[in-house]
Amino acid sequence: MTDCTNCGDRIEGNTARCPNCGASQETPLVTDGGERAPDEKYCTECGELIKEDAEICPECGVRQQSSGETGSDQVVAGVLAIVVGFVGAHKFYQGNIKYGVLYLCFFWTGIPALLGLVEGILMLVADEAEYEEKYADGSIFGEF
């Protein structure tokens, strides 16, 4: 086992790309070469070894995104899906531009409106962990 050069997650030693963040493992880390403790991670910008709960890297000053953090709020995404889901506003909000454009292209058919209504209800009734796991990435019904 080794650590990802980008996100610091434990991965198999012969993996070319991290399954968590997709970073190439051919780029070396910029660290002191020490082993990562269980409460540490690597900075996503400079690769420096930092505390896992650090919000900002003390070395380069870049804000760190915690694992599972998507930047989209569950309630906002759900309400956007119900109210303006027919134009894909919730997909754009969640950062999935591809599906946002798809909804926008087909809004006149009414299908995105129906999908938005169902997705909005599913997002609002899901607990926080389920939302982060299934819906926060902007996939359709959390599976596609």
Side-chain angles (χ1 to χ4, degrees):
M1 295 293 279
T2 185
D3 299 324
C4 172
T5 59
N6 181 47
C7 68
D9 277 357
R10 301 260 184 220
I11 59 174
E12 293 294 325
N14 58 355
T15 305
R17 292 201 169 272
C18 175
N20 182 43
C21 68
S24 171
Q25 299 305 299
E26 296 171 4
T27 307
L29 285 174
V30 182
T31 64
D32 60 3
E35 277 293 313
R36 183 174 73 106
D39 66 335
E40 293 179 323
K41 67 178 180 180
Y42 295 107
C43 172
T44 57
E45 183 66 23
C46 69
E48 189 66 34
L49 200 57
I50 60 175
K51 290 289 184 190
E52 193 169 42
D53 58 351
E55 291 183 26
I56 297 175
C57 174
E59 191 66 32
C60 66
V62 172
R63 181 168 298 281
Q64 303 296 303
Q65 184 174 3
S66 65
S67 59
E69 179 182 314
T70 59
S72 68
D73 183 68
Q74 179 178 359
V75 175
V76 174
V79 171
L80 281 173
I82 291 171
V83 177
V84 286
F86 64 96
V87 292
H90 59 298
K91 298 299 181 189
F92 288 111
Y93 175 72
Q94 293 172 314
N96 196 327
I97 307 301
K98 177 177 72 172
Y99 283 133
V101 170
L102 188 66
Y103 275 54
L104 197 55
C105 288
F106 291 98
F107 81 94
W108 57 272
T109 65
I111 294 170
L114 181 62
L115 290 174
L117 178 66
V118 172
E119 286 177 324
I121 292 169
L122 289 173
M123 283 187 249
L124 291 174
V125 299
D127 62 11
E128 189 174 322
E130 183 182 11
Y131 171 76
E132 287 295 329
E133 182 182 326
K134 286 185 166 182
Y135 307 110
D137 64 351
S139 58
I140 297 176
F141 294 127
E143 296 182 17
F144 299 104

